[in-house]
Amino acid sequence: MFCAIALSVSAQRIIKPKVKTPSSFAIFIDQKSYDKTEAAVNEYKASIEADGLATCLLVDDWKSPEPIKEQIKRLYADKKSPLEGCVFIGDIPIPMIRDAQYLTSAFKMNQTRDWKESSVASDRFYDDFDLTFDFLKQDADIPLYFYYSLRPDSHHQLSSDIYSARIKPVEIEGEDKYVLLERYLRKVVREKKENKGNTLDHLSMGRGHHYNSQDRAAWAGEQMALREQMPQLFRPGNTVKFFDFDTMFPMKRIYLNEVQDESVDVMLFHHHGASDKQYINGYPEAANVDQNIEAVKVYLRSKIPARAKKIGKEEAIKEFAERFNVPANWCEGSFDPALQEKDSINNELMDIHTYDIHPLHPNARFILFDACYNGSFYEKDYLAGSYIFADGKTIATIGGTVNALQDKWPDEFVGLLAAGIRIGQFNRYTGYLESHLIGDPTFRFKDNSHIGFDINNAIVLHRGDVSFWREKLNHALPDVQAMALRQLHEANYQDMPKLLEETYFNSDFFVVRLEALRLLARNYPEQSIPVLKAALNDSYELVRRLASEMVERNASPELIEDLVASVLLRGHEERLRFRYEQGLGSFDTESLLKEMDKQLVGKYIYSDTIVKNFRRNVNREQTRLNEDLTELNDRSAKDKAVISTIGVYRNHPKPQIVETLLKIAADESRSLEVRFSAIHTLGWYDTSYIRADIVKHLQTISTNEASLKSEIERTINRLSGK
């Protein structure tokens, strides 16, 4: 095995596996962490091998990410026992990725800002071999940070070759991080030994305020989908719990009770977040006049003191009293010490903080944080890390290193967890640039789905095996069918578009239809129109919601009829309505309004609220478009404003703006910054029905400017599906 090969670097130590298995695993650890926790690390290695996975341990004072990636690729190339995954323990170099925001779910930050903030900490540098980078610099303040730019000629879609994870201890006052690391590793060893036969028979889910617009239809749809993915959970003797943020106040206490329940196997969280917080509650909704008055007073107390620091106490009270037309004495309580203390306590109760977790005993074996920044392992103290480094039995968590999109599919393949898939493989197939597994990636539950084969071996040993995965398209478990579609896509199955369309129209399963829809719309946008039309009125809410976004980004005029029909049928659904309102601007205003008039003929309408909202939003979007076009064509407009306006069309790639962007891109009298912004934004039209036309026009642009050449190449590669 490659693990036995000694490298020329004298400081590096390699401890090879003690067993032989069809695939292998690697532990990368820095020298000091190993010196401090050697016995625990060796026990952890042995526990992985006891679970049937040969494990190589590599110890070094890692000076940069490149030697690590080189070793990973060498181990992966071993035909006798190829690497399937790895874990980075301790202070391992952190790649900070730039020029790749389109590979995140939502992160859109101006890269002229501080590089620490405007880069994405991502181990896709290590686990996705098709991504290629140019090294930029090492951070002067935090030596673990290494900045890289995604090369224009790189692959521009995520497809990790292996799974990876971080075990980076939190750094908190009064605690030795190496002691925390040792405790965690021993916890993993103990849990694997004592609960080797643990099945996923208890799942809990909780959501926070304002997530997915607090849409009950979205919440109900997810519960029905989970019934498909893990039917055994809904049988007698097993447990499923669904918690909502407004069930009780503060819900924080209930959630912290739940994660400490030793019977909980998986906890799924849907909420907003920060690197050190889970945002659970807002202020409670008022139920009567007195509560409404108190709510106003609480709001005033939260705003007035800060304003008073700028303009003085009396002026601040006067300003807010006049602005909200309330008595001045409602504002005066803002400076009452007793009320300030009361508000502070209530605010503390609304959210879960890292320091709430440190003294607790979280026991949910796996926790998924569908939230912004919860997986920010590059911080000293971070939310996902606080759970695994606390006492208890929590082994693994997944969270993002930057902000996260709300309208995504966090439960994709979650049913395979009950089939025994390793947590690392689960994250490999569901992650974005920012998605990171914190903890042991080899952890798995015992299969209680009875799928008839080893899912982990299948993913590794049957990669590219078309006949194997074609057979699994008829499997009883929907998530196996969905994985089969993904595997066939990655194997470049020649009839993929036809297979995906047939699967969508013939499958009775929510999650299989959604997998087919996503693969089709993302990779074959020109052939996805029939499925997109149908998906707008799918019986699964998440299919409808994600389809509405895909329709916006595709923007073919062929979709107008079905989009308008969907608005009339589903305009009452809160989160879906939000998606409609975001996407109407991608279509011709006159065509939308005419289609609405056409579809209203012969209909009995009691309330025209939905129709009025539609017309208002269509006209509003046209007004915005007109204003943007005026600004972009105004040569006296400041570059900063123009660049800001162009950037809006990354999230909302409207075809109507493309001609103007192409003109700007080719206009040598424009500044490099403005032209670069236009070219960059055109790269976000990667699933647009006119993407091929954009490529043709970009290919005609000739420039000697290196930055523009690179960005044109990057954009063409993106639009070409590279």
Side-chain angles (χ1 to χ4, degrees):
M1 301 180 74
F2 252 109
C3 288
I5 299 176
L7 298 185
S8 59
V9 181
S10 59
Q12 189 174 92
R13 181 180 179 188
I14 299 177
I15 302 174
K16 58 187 179 181
K18 292 184 177 180
V19 298
K20 294 182 179 181
T21 55
S23 61
S24 61
F25 182 75
I27 299 170
F28 291 86
I29 187 170
D30 68 281
Q31 186 68 57
K32 186 173 182 180
S33 293
Y34 185 67
D35 291 342
K36 294 280 189 177
T37 63
E38 180 176 353
V41 172
N42 291 337
E43 289 173 21
Y44 171 58
K45 175 182 181 294
S47 75
I48 299 172
E49 296 193 326
D51 192 36
L53 192 55
T55 301
C56 182
L57 174 61
L58 300 96
V59 187
D60 198 359
D61 286 321
W62 305 101
K63 302 300 183 184
S64 73
E66 279 89 352
I68 298 172
K69 187 169 186 177
E70 180 182 348
Q71 269 291 61
I72 289 172
K73 294 177 77 171
R74 289 183 183 226
L75 295 170
Y76 181 78
D78 179 8
K79 294 181 180 179
K80 292 183 179 180
S81 184
L83 189 74
E84 70 168 59
C86 65
V87 65
F88 307 119
I89 299 180
D91 293 325
I92 300 296
I94 300 172
M96 304 291 284
I97 307 303
R98 301 177 65 75
D99 304 314
Q101 293 183 5
Y102 45 83
L103 297 178
T104 69
S105 65
F107 187 68
K108 311 287 187 295
M109 184 180 290
N110 190 323
Q111 291 193 155
T112 61
R113 293 182 60 174
D114 188 312
W115 280 29
K116 292 182 181 67
E117 297 178 5
S118 60
S119 304
V120 182
S122 179
D123 286 335
R124 298 299 86 77
F125 176 92
Y126 294 117
D127 60 38
D128 191 330
F129 305 154
D130 290 328
L131 301 183
T132 57
F133 303 88
D134 286 326
F135 174 67
L136 300 176
K137 68 177 182 179
Q138 183 177 11
D139 193 88
D141 303 318
I142 307 178
L144 276 185
Y145 293 2
F146 291 81
Y147 297 98
Y148 292 89
S149 171
L150 185 68
R151 290 176 54 88
D153 59 356
S154 170
H155 199 70
H156 293 278
Q157 295 182 5
L158 290 177
S159 182
S160 293
D161 297 270
I162 63 169
Y163 57 83
S164 66
R166 288 272 175 171
I167 302 178
K168 183 176 179 292
V170 294
E171 297 181 42
I172 51 181
E173 187 176 353
E175 294 281 359
D176 184 327
K177 70 176 186 178
Y178 299 106
V179 171
L180 292 177
L181 175 57
E182 182 178 37
R183 287 176 183 170
Y184 169 74
L185 294 173
R186 294 195 186 281
K187 173 171 66 172
V188 174
V189 172
R190 184 171 59 250
E191 181 64 20
K192 285 184 173 183
K193 182 179 180 180
E194 296 177 358
N195 295 295
K196 187 174 183 179
N198 184 28
T199 59
L200 202 173
D201 55 17
H202 185 156
L203 179 144
S204 294
M205 182 189 296
R207 69 172 186 166
H209 71 111
H210 293 312
Y211 210 68
N212 292 145
S213 304
Q214 301 177 188
D215 190 343
R216 302 291 182 184
W219 191 225
E222 184 174 10
Q223 295 175 47
M224 290 190 288
L226 284 170
R227 174 68 175 81
E228 281 188 355
Q229 294 174 284
M230 289 182 277
Q232 70 278 10
L233 279 176
F234 294 79
R235 296 176 187 144
N238 299 323
T239 304
V240 182
K241 293 183 183 180
F242 300 107
F243 298 88
D244 218 346
F245 67 95
D246 57 358
T247 305
M248 298 180 68
F249 185 87
M251 201 62 190
K252 164 183 177 175
R253 292 170 173 168
I254 306 302
Y255 286 156
L256 292 183
N257 279 347
E258 189 65 12
V259 297
Q260 292 188 97
D261 186 334
E262 286 198 32
S263 69
V264 178
D265 297 303
V266 173
M267 184 82 193
L268 305 177
F269 276 118
H270 300 300
H271 51 66
H272 293 290
S275 62
D276 60 348
K277 294 183 189 68
Q278 295 172 259
Y279 296 118
I280 305 300
N281 282 112
Y283 292 115
E285 291 188 14
N288 54 50
V289 173
D290 288 341
Q291 289 179 4
N292 274 288
I293 291 174
E294 181 57 28
V296 172
K297 291 180 177 179
V298 169
Y299 173 81
L300 294 170
R301 294 199 296 267
S302 72
K303 301 295 183 182
I304 291 176
R307 183 61 174 158
K309 291 179 180 179
K310 296 181 179 180
I311 64 174
K313 176 179 175 180
E314 298 303 323
E315 285 300 315
I317 290 174
K318 180 181 178 182
E319 179 182 300
F320 275 81
E322 291 177 354
R323 182 190 304 176
F324 294 102
N325 193 25
V326 297
N329 63 3
W330 287 18
C331 304
E332 290 168 356
S334 301
F335 303 95
D336 184 329
L339 290 175
Q340 289 178 333
E341 182 179 0
K342 176 185 175 183
D343 291 343
S344 178
I345 292 172
N346 286 335
N347 289 335
E348 186 76 10
L349 289 173
M350 289 194 291
D351 305 320
I352 297 174
H353 307 80
T354 54
Y355 51 76
D356 293 318
I357 305 301
H358 295 320
L360 300 184
H361 292 72
N363 285 309
R365 308 315 191 268
F366 168 57
I367 304 175
L368 174 65
F369 299 102
D370 177 22
C372 299
Y373 290 100
N374 280 177
S376 298
F377 65 86
Y378 53 91
E379 301 282 5
K380 289 186 176 181
D381 191 13
Y382 59 104
L383 201 288
S386 69
Y387 278 87
I388 71 165
F389 289 105
D391 289 333
K393 296 184 177 182
T394 298
I395 301 300
T397 59
I398 289 177
T401 59
V402 292
N403 58 305
L405 186 71
Q406 292 184 56
D407 295 308
K408 60 179 182 296
W409 189 10
D411 300 337
E412 185 178 15
F413 299 129
V414 75
L416 296 181
L417 292 176
I421 195 172
R422 297 190 191 278
I423 301 291
Q425 294 287 20
F426 170 73
N427 188 57
R428 172 186 169 196
Y429 284 100
T430 59
Y432 294 88
L433 189 68
E434 74 271 15
S435 305
H436 284 77
L437 197 160
I438 309 301
D440 173 30
T442 69
F443 178 77
R444 58 176 171 169
F445 296 99
K446 183 180 178 181
D447 175 18
N448 69 343
S449 295
H450 310 296
I451 63 173
F453 64 99
D454 187 314
I455 185 64
N456 296 293
N457 286 340
I459 288 172
V460 176
L461 304 180
H462 290 283
R463 189 175 187 182
D465 186 343
V466 170
S467 61
F468 178 88
W469 291 108
R470 279 283 299 178
E471 179 188 353
K472 297 300 180 285
L473 290 174
N474 299 314
H475 197 278
L477 190 68
D479 273 357
V480 172
Q481 295 184 30
M483 177 57 76
L485 290 176
R486 178 70 71 86
Q487 294 290 336
L488 289 169
H489 166 67
E490 292 188 353
N492 296 315
Y493 179 63
Q494 61 180 355
D495 294 324
M496 204 66 205
K498 180 182 178 182
L499 172 63
L500 293 172
E501 181 174 340
E502 290 177 348
T503 299
Y504 177 83
F505 283 112
N506 292 301
S507 179
D508 294 332
F509 296 117
F510 292 166
V511 296
V512 176
R513 293 201 302 272
L514 184 49
E515 188 69 32
L517 169 67
R518 294 178 82 212
L519 289 172
L520 188 59
R522 286 179 173 182
N523 300 286
Y524 313 96
E526 297 84 1
Q527 296 160 275
S528 67
I529 304 299
V531 170
L532 285 174
K533 288 182 174 185
L536 285 168
N537 192 37
D538 195 274
S539 57
Y540 181 22
E541 187 275 343
L542 189 58
V543 171
R544 298 193 296 273
R545 181 159 31 110
L546 296 187
S548 67
E549 179 186 2
M550 296 168 190
V551 163
E552 174 191 0
R553 302 190 76 88
N554 185 293
S556 169
E558 295 180 54
L559 295 163
I560 289 176
E561 179 181 353
D562 295 273
L563 175 60
V564 172
S566 185
V567 170
L568 288 172
L569 282 169
R570 303 283 187 176
H572 62 284
E573 295 179 17
E574 194 162 4
R575 190 64 186 180
L576 184 58
R577 183 173 68 249
F578 170 80
R579 291 300 334 166
Y580 288 147
E581 292 172 357
Q582 295 284 303
L584 290 173
S586 285
F587 299 92
D588 176 67
T589 295
E590 185 177 353
S591 298
L592 286 169
L593 295 175
K594 282 185 176 180
E595 183 61 35
M596 177 60 78
D597 291 338
K598 176 183 175 182
Q599 294 194 25
L600 286 174
V601 174
K603 282 189 180 291
Y604 295 99
I605 301 294
Y606 178 77
S607 170
D608 62 354
T609 300
I610 290 174
V611 175
K612 281 185 174 180
N613 287 339
F614 173 85
R615 296 188 193 282
R616 183 180 66 250
N617 289 324
V618 168
N619 288 319
R620 180 197 64 199
E621 288 299 315
Q622 184 63 55
T623 299
R624 287 179 178 173
L625 178 63
N626 292 340
E627 292 172 350
D628 288 347
L629 286 171
T630 298
E631 180 180 47
L632 295 181
N633 288 294
D634 180 4
R635 301 307 296 268
S636 65
K638 294 183 178 180
D639 284 357
K640 185 177 181 180
V642 172
I643 291 170
S644 177
T645 298
I646 290 174
V648 170
Y649 293 90
R650 295 180 300 177
N651 279 343
H652 304 288
K654 300 177 183 179
Q656 305 95 309
I657 206 83
V658 165
E659 183 179 354
T660 298
L661 294 180
L662 286 168
K663 286 181 179 178
I664 292 173
D667 189 349
E668 294 183 355
S669 66
R670 293 274 194 169
S671 71
L672 286 178
E673 292 78 12
V674 169
R675 294 177 69 190
F676 183 95
S677 178
I679 296 165
H680 173 75
T681 296
L682 287 167
W684 298 74
Y685 286 73
D686 55 334
T687 60
S688 172
Y689 83 106
I690 60 170
R691 64 175 182 166
D693 293 331
I694 297 174
V695 169
K696 289 179 182 178
H697 282 85
L698 287 173
Q699 288 172 335
T700 67
I701 297 177
S702 178
T703 177
N704 293 322
E705 294 292 342
S707 62
L708 295 186
K709 277 187 176 181
S710 293
E711 198 59 25
I712 289 172
E713 180 184 6
R714 186 194 309 277
T715 295
I716 288 174
N717 285 336
R718 284 193 64 198
L719 297 180
S720 302
K722 182 176 178 181

